[in-house]
Structures are given as structure tokens and as C-alpha cells.
Amino acid sequence: MSKVKTTAGDRLRRVLAIVPWIVANPGVEVSEVAARFGLTEKALINDLNVVWMIGLPPYTPDALVEVVFEEGRVWINYADFFSRPLRLSPAQGLALLASTDGLLSVPGTEPDGPLARALAKMSVSLGVEPEEAVDVDLGDVAAETLDQLRSAIETGTEVDIVYYSYGRDEMTERRIAPWRVSADSGAWYVEAWCHRAEGERIFRVDRIEMLTPTDERTKHDPSTGGPSHDGSGSSVFHPGSSDPTVTLVLAPSAAWVVDTYPCDVLDVGTDGSQTVRLVITALPWLERLLVRLGPSARVVADRDDGPAGLNDLGQVGEAAASRILSRYRD
Amino acid sequence: MSKLERLLNLTAVLLDTQRPLTAEEIRTRVEGYPPPGTAFRRAFERDKDDLRVLGIPLRIEQTPEIDPPIDAYRIPPEEYYLPDPGLDADELAALHLASLAVRLDGLSDEPDRSDDGLKDALWKLGGQADPSPAPVANAVASLPSDPNLLPLFTAITNRHLVRFSYRSPTSPGPGEERTVEPWRLDFQRGRWYLTGYDRLRSGERNYRLERIAEAVDVLRDEPRFERRAPAGAGRRRQGWELGDDAPTMVELLVDESRAAWARQQFGPDVEQRPGPDDGTIFVVAVVNEVAFRSFVLGFLEHAEILDPPAVRQRTIDWLETVAAGGAGFP
């Protein structure tokens, strides 16, 4: 951790928080205060040495704050104006409510436990009803699955999963070694080594149909690095140079595609349309996309597209729509 | 005399004073300022900035007894102090856990600070009782930020009306003006929404923050609104449940192979009954038909909209357009 220069403003911020706590906990050990607020005892004592110079005019001894050190313990007296900390800023209030409410939305979190009680108390303190000002839902996932994954991560063991591959529209059985679970853009993901793929993969937790823990300790070490979130939400899939691609012209109304999938924007027209190249994960994936986009997108021939097995992508959308239509006409 | 000492004395004096103090009065009462002149003014300006950066509520009023009136300062105690939320040790620990597990990106009072301000918030609440590493370090969620999040949160807590331009998803242009009683910020499906009461349409509505065209106007001079009874908070909401219209009940038949996935999306309370060929018929309240159709098309030929006839027909019309090929734009 790099050393950041502590400004007077930073120290003021710290003192205004620490002094009220010591006032409320007279005779507390200096080491405990330092641990609580994450500073060295030396830094803490330096700050408190400034505090005992503080007071109100005329700054005579009877008007000064009193800081007493004795046998590793500290007392602060006559600090009426430092009796309570500064209120939370609106940004802090929002971040605290969002974090707390968000964690409560994770299945497996006790609905009536200390977190829920903390949320209720902080809401009152901020002047709002709990869950009435901010409601964060991180994503839909079975509590048990998430717990089992976390457990496997903690014990370093592998799990067997039955996984619904959305792109390929098929169920597969896999043995994986998970190392990280995270939520991004409204869904939960698990990063793991997949034996079937013989590589690192990111799976969506809500597509795990069944999970069976094992006692197998994994030999795969996540420190070798793996796919990680780059914050854009589109890092779940890493295109390789040999992956099949499709080139689409998107109407302005279909601009959401650019925000949702990793793609290259090749050209922007004067009417706001965009020509993009997308990597295809599997045919059903492309079918879904084209059926949803309908007339707001069309496939264009591009000499850089066209891998083995996916010829004439121009008809994929039409063919899929016809197939679905036959259901409605039966 | 260190700067920290002067800042602490300044804070104490401004908190303690019964009436606002002029800069000159402050200079004589607070130790550590240069004599009157440019040096003093500069030092005082910097100190005021330091206080403001910390979120200390520095109020400037005009002196009534001097003509022409000059600026006078105080810190109103009722705006400074954090009322004790009464957190137990385990509740405070839970808040720490939440702040580590769920981060709200980019939300800081000071853009140049590297932390997210929550460390400071937790200091104000009493620091960290047990500073051992958090066990949830391998489950992290990250919430995206939006420039209107904080203004809307402040409006919600103070019950101020807001006004903004709301863009339509498909047509370009600045969008329509809305005047709304803001109730709640919702994070669902990876996006932020504002839930509130639309005054023109006289009903509860959800707005995607991404579609709010510019900075919202917080109407501080208008009377504060009274909270009406909102619809269920904390209930998981899907894309087709969010929006501007009254809901339509749609019947959807899903094949057995996909029914479990569908059930997960609709939640445990959805109305359902057995359908032909071991499928399941779900009855879903749909506000946004386009979003629902997009969701249904994701099942490709494994699902079918049965009812109401108008919605079924519009789906057929859509599929026929796609099957016929040809983009709807040149």
C-alpha cells in the first residue's frame, strides 16, 4: 500500500470522528482506538496531542479540552463541542444505504439479522424509512447455489455443475474449480477453472441448474490470473481472433447492442446507424439477437466474417423467426 | 501552532457561538491567524474550503447591525452533529461488511479522493470493532454510478419535487418534461431507476436514470410533497414490469425443458398452471410489451404467447416481419 500524504484536512476529519468516540468510551486503551480507526498509535497520539491544545477563547486552562493518558489508556474531558461526530454527507448516506440494502438482497443473508437492523437504524438516522429511499437488488440467484459456491471457494474444492449454456441453448455437465463469485450488471457470476473446457471460464450462477459439491481439492490456482471484470460488464466473454463473427448494420433504435455486447464499431452513418462486428458465441445466440432486433438490424456480407460452419448468416434471423412462427400456426 | 490546531479551534468557535461571527471577529478569537490583511484572508479562505470539503455545514449570514452588512459565519449545531443511531457492535460490523462487499462506484464528495468516503462514514459511526479481514472478500458487487443519483437521493430525503426531460428509447430528441414526486432509487437488472409519482399522469412510474436527459432540477422552492402509499418496495422487478403504462395480464406457454428457468425469472408468486405436453402456462403482469416480447423471443421456439389475442397477434406480426427479411431502414 502506497503512503499517501495526510493533509491537515484529513487529520481534521479523523479527529472529529475519533474524539467523540473516546469521549463516549472513557479510559479506553490507546491500542484499541488505533486499531478501530486504522492508524498507528504514534499517529493517534500525535493527533490527540493537538487536541489538548484546543479550546475556546480565552484559552485559559479551564476552557481547554483535557486529554489524559495513563497506563496506555486515554480520557478526554471538557470537549462539549466534540461530543458527537459530524453527520454523514448525502453521498455517504446514499452509499451506505445502497451497500447495506444491496448486501441484504443477496440470498442467504439473514433477513432479520444485524445487517437488517443496521439498515433500519441508519435509515432512521438519515431521515428515511428503510427500503423506501434506496432499494438495491443485485440479481436473481438461488441462495443455496451461492452458498455452496462460496463454501467451495473457501475450502478450495471442486464442484460438479449442470449448466445451461444460453448461447448454445444446451445443458452440459462440468466439473469446475471456482475461485470467485461476484455480481455485475444485475447478475451473479462465478469465475472458475473448467475441466471440460480445460480453461478458465466465467459462468452465470443463475444458469447453474444443479450443483454437487465434492471433496476434491483443486490443483488449479487462481493466481495464474483469469478473466476478471473490467467494469464494463462485457468482460464475461473474451473474443479470440479465430472466433466466428457477424457484421450488422444497426438502426439508431438498436444502439443498445453496442452497449451490451463486446463489438467493434466499424462505421457510423449520417442517420445515426452503426455498422458493427460482433463475435458469435453460438448459433442460437445469434438467432435470439436477430429475432429480437428484427427490422432494426440487418446482416451484411463482410469478407472478414464467415467461419467454418456458419455460412450465410444473412438468413439466420429469418430462419429462426420462421421456426418460431410455425409454433403459432399449429 | 499547526494548521490542524487552527482548524480545530475554528470549528469549535463556530460551533459554540450563539450569533454569526465576522471574519475579523474570527481572526481575534481563533489562534493561529496572521494579522489583518491579504495573508489572513487567504488563510481564512483556505480554512473555509477545508471545512466545506469535509461536509461541515458552514452558514454565511449577513450581519444585521452593520451597514452595509458583511458576511458572518457560524456552524449550526443542529446541522453538524450526527444523532446517535444506536448501533450495536454486531450491527456496526455488518455495515463494515456491507461497505466492503458492495461498492457504489464513483460516488464521492470529493472527486480527487481515492477512497469512496465510506471509510470516513464508518469512522463517524465508531470505527471498526474487529479489524480482521472480512470473510466475504471473495464476493464483491459493484454498482454503477449516475450523475443524477445524489441529487435525486437528496430530493427524496428532503421531499422536494423534481423536474427533468425524459428521453424516449426509440426516438431521438430531448424528450418530454416530467414533474415527479421522487420516492425511491431502485437498482434492478443492473440499472438505476427512479420510482415516483408522476404529477401529470397522476400515477406511480419508473424512470431509467440513463434516459434522464440532463441534470435534474430539484425544485427546492416548491412546497414539499407528502408521501403517498407506494407499491411494494423490495420486490424484484423485471424489464417488462417497469414503465409508464397500466399492466396487461399475458399468458405464456413454456416448454417443460425451459420451465424451470422461466419460473426463476417470474419469481415464486407467479400464477401458473399445467399446459399441453407437460409445459407450463404462466400468467404475467406486463407493463412493457416490447420488453416482454424480447424476453419471450429469448426462448426461441420453446415458448409461445397465448393470450390476450392482441398481444399474440402483435408477436406473430413481428415474427412475420423478421421472417420476411429486409431491414426497416435504408
Side-chain angles (χ1 to χ4, degrees), chain A:
Chain A
M1 197 152 66
S2 60
K3 200 157 159 48
V4 176
K5 187 152 188 276
T6 315
T7 64
D10 291 330
R11 289 177 76 195
L12 178 66
R13 185 196 299 268
R14 207 160 64 193
V15 165
L16 292 177
I18 294 176
V19 169
W21 194 78
I22 299 177
V23 168
N25 293 275
V28 65
E29 288 186 11
V30 172
S31 54
E32 185 186 334
V33 181
R36 254 188 181 265
F37 292 93
L39 55 159
T40 61
E41 286 188 38
K42 181 162 178 281
L44 173 63
I45 292 173
N46 280 344
D47 283 351
L48 293 178
N49 278 334
V50 173
V51 170
W52 77 255
M53 305 287 287
I54 302 309
L56 293 171
Y59 301 109
T60 49
D62 56 303
L64 288 177
V65 174
E66 184 184 69
V67 180
V68 175
F69 289 103
E70 199 172 311
E71 289 174 9
R73 293 175 178 276
V74 60
W75 288 256
I76 298 183
N77 304 309
Y78 311 117
D80 290 341
F81 33 81
F82 291 145
S83 56
R84 290 284 316 146
L86 177 60
R87 66 181 181 180
L88 295 180
S89 69
Q92 288 172 337
L94 174 59
L96 207 59
L97 290 180
S99 296
T100 312
D101 198 81
L103 191 57
L104 272 170
S105 81
V106 176
T109 309
E110 273 184 76
D112 306 313
L115 190 62
R117 284 184 268 121
L119 177 64
K121 289 182 179 174
M122 287 318 304
S123 302
V124 168
S125 181
L126 292 163
V128 299
E129 293 287 319
E131 284 203 6
E132 273 201 9
V134 182
D135 184 22
V136 173
D137 186 348
L138 293 177
D140 208 346
V141 68
E144 208 194 330
T145 310
L146 208 54
D147 275 343
Q148 288 171 319
L149 284 169
R150 285 204 199 113
S151 189
I153 292 170
E154 273 162 41
T155 54
T157 51
E158 304 194 336
V159 300
D160 284 320
I161 59 173
V162 176
Y163 186 71
Y164 171 54
S165 172
Y166 188 68
R168 285 182 192 70
D169 196 30
E170 64 184 11
M171 302 284 254
T172 52
E173 288 174 20
R174 301 163 181 261
R175 165 72 61 98
I176 66 169
W179 63 67
R180 199 172 111 102
V181 170
S182 60
D184 192 11
S185 303
W188 284 89
Y189 297 89
V190 55
E191 293 166 53
W193 175 272
C194 175
H195 286 271
R196 185 185 149 106
E198 284 180 8
E200 292 148 357
R201 289 291 180 270
I202 302 184
F203 299 97
R204 257 181 70 152
V205 178
D206 59 354
R207 294 193 188 132
I208 296 178
E209 297 277 312
M210 200 160 76
L211 188 149
T212 315
T214 72
D215 289 327
E216 285 283 323
R217 291 201 63 100
T218 182
K219 298 176 192 56
H220 291 279
D221 181 6
S223 66
T224 55
S228 58
H229 291 287
D230 61 7
S232 67
S234 62
S235 60
V236 185
F237 180 74
H238 284 272
S241 57
S242 58
D243 287 325
T245 59
V246 66
T247 304
L248 301 177
V249 179
L250 302 172
S253 59
W256 61 268
V257 173
V258 177
D259 297 329
T260 311
Y261 300 106
C263 63
D264 294 321
V265 179
L266 304 174
D267 188 42
V268 179
T270 47
D271 57 351
S273 64
Q274 299 181 75
T275 305
V276 301
R277 177 177 295 126
L278 288 158
V279 177
I280 306 168
T281 54
L283 193 59
W285 178 88
L286 182 61
E287 288 181 336
R288 282 194 192 91
L289 182 64
L290 292 176
V291 163
R292 282 169 167 157
L293 287 172
S296 64
R298 69 168 188 276
V299 177
V300 293
D302 191 282
R303 59 185 167 76
D304 292 327
D305 295 329
L310 276 173
N311 298 315
D312 198 2
L313 298 173
Q315 301 304 312
V316 165
E318 285 91 333
S322 294
R323 209 169 71 229
I324 303 171
L325 258 179
S326 62
R327 222 199 135 114
Y328 285 83
R329 287 177 178 149
D330 277 345

Side-chain angles (χ1 to χ4, degrees), chain B:
Chain B
M1 159 74 56
S2 67
K3 186 166 184 215
L4 174 61
E5 213 176 310
R6 191 174 77 208
L7 286 173
L8 278 167
N9 278 325
L10 177 63
T11 307
V13 163
L14 291 174
L15 268 173
D16 181 70
T17 183
Q18 300 299 314
R19 61 167 179 86
L21 301 172
T22 63
E24 180 54 27
E25 287 175 310
I26 289 169
R27 195 194 62 78
T28 56
R29 283 158 210 248
V30 177
E31 287 200 350
Y33 280 116
T38 319
F40 162 66
R41 276 195 298 278
R42 225 182 289 139
F44 186 49
E45 283 307 310
R46 280 202 294 264
D47 284 359
K48 279 190 284 175
D49 281 341
D50 280 337
L51 295 192
R52 283 198 196 100
V53 149
L54 258 59
I56 293 177
L58 185 62
R59 294 282 163 257
I60 307 176
E61 292 160 29
Q62 302 288 303
T63 55
E65 63 269 13
I66 301 177
D67 189 32
I70 51 179
D71 288 341
Y73 306 87
R74 63 186 279 262
I75 298 173
E78 67 277 8
E79 291 180 37
Y80 175 92
Y81 292 109
L82 173 69
D84 187 358
L87 294 166
D88 295 336
D90 58 345
E91 292 161 358
L92 183 58
L95 284 181
H96 270 275
L97 216 66
S99 74
L100 288 170
V102 182
R103 309 196 81 81
L104 183 52
D105 281 339
L107 190 72
S108 173
D109 298 319
E110 306 147 60
D112 56 331
R113 280 188 71 86
S114 55
D115 71 349
D116 58 5
L118 264 189
K119 188 171 81 158
D120 178 44
L122 292 163
W123 277 354
K124 291 172 178 173
L125 295 170
Q128 196 173 351
D130 179 16
S132 52
V136 80
N138 61 4
V140 168
S142 144
L143 304 170
S145 183
D146 183 287
N148 279 315
L149 261 183
L150 199 51
L152 284 171
F153 178 68
T154 315
I156 289 170
T157 51
N158 293 313
R159 289 182 295 110
H160 287 306
L161 273 180
V162 294
R163 187 182 295 141
F164 51 87
S165 283
Y166 194 58
R167 277 198 302 257
S168 148
T170 45
S171 46
E176 286 177 17
E177 190 179 271
R178 311 291 178 110
T179 303
V180 173
E181 296 172 14
W183 289 345
R184 192 174 62 243
L185 289 166
D186 285 290
F187 186 75
Q188 298 263 349
R189 322 290 295 167
R191 299 200 141 89
W192 281 105
Y193 295 85
L194 169 70
T195 298
Y197 186 86
D198 188 317
R199 284 235 168 140
L200 186 65
R201 288 164 185 77
S202 300
E204 180 180 326
R205 296 290 184 264
N206 308 109
Y207 304 95
R208 263 198 18 198
L209 257 62
E210 291 162 332
R211 293 213 206 112
I212 295 180
E214 293 147 357
V216 298
D217 263 325
V218 179
L219 307 177
R220 286 190 185 84
D221 298 327
E222 297 280 323
R224 294 176 189 219
F225 60 88
E226 288 299 316
R227 281 210 61 135
R228 306 168 200 247
R235 197 172 48 86
R236 191 151 279 149
R237 258 171 270 126
Q238 298 281 1
W240 60 81
E241 295 178 278
L242 295 164
D244 246 67
D245 303 308
T248 306
M249 301 312 287
V250 176
E251 286 196 0
L252 178 73
L253 169 63
V254 180
D255 288 351
E256 189 193 359
S257 61
R258 303 291 184 266
W261 160 254
R263 203 167 289 120
Q264 203 182 42
Q265 298 305 301
F266 295 135
D269 299 325
V270 68
E271 192 191 317
Q272 54 185 297
R273 62 179 192 272
D277 296 322
D278 291 326
T280 306
I281 297 176
F282 296 93
V283 185
V284 183
V286 173
V287 172
N288 185 330
E289 190 183 310
V290 173
F292 189 66
R293 182 169 63 224
S294 185
F295 168 74
V296 170
L297 291 174
F299 288 97
L300 292 173
E301 67 270 29
H302 301 293
E304 183 185 340
I305 292 178
L306 300 177
D307 199 77
V311 177
R312 179 183 168 92
Q313 188 56 48
R314 281 194 284 271
T315 305
I316 293 173
D317 291 343
W318 176 264
L319 288 165
E320 283 176 347
T321 309
V322 180
F329 66 106

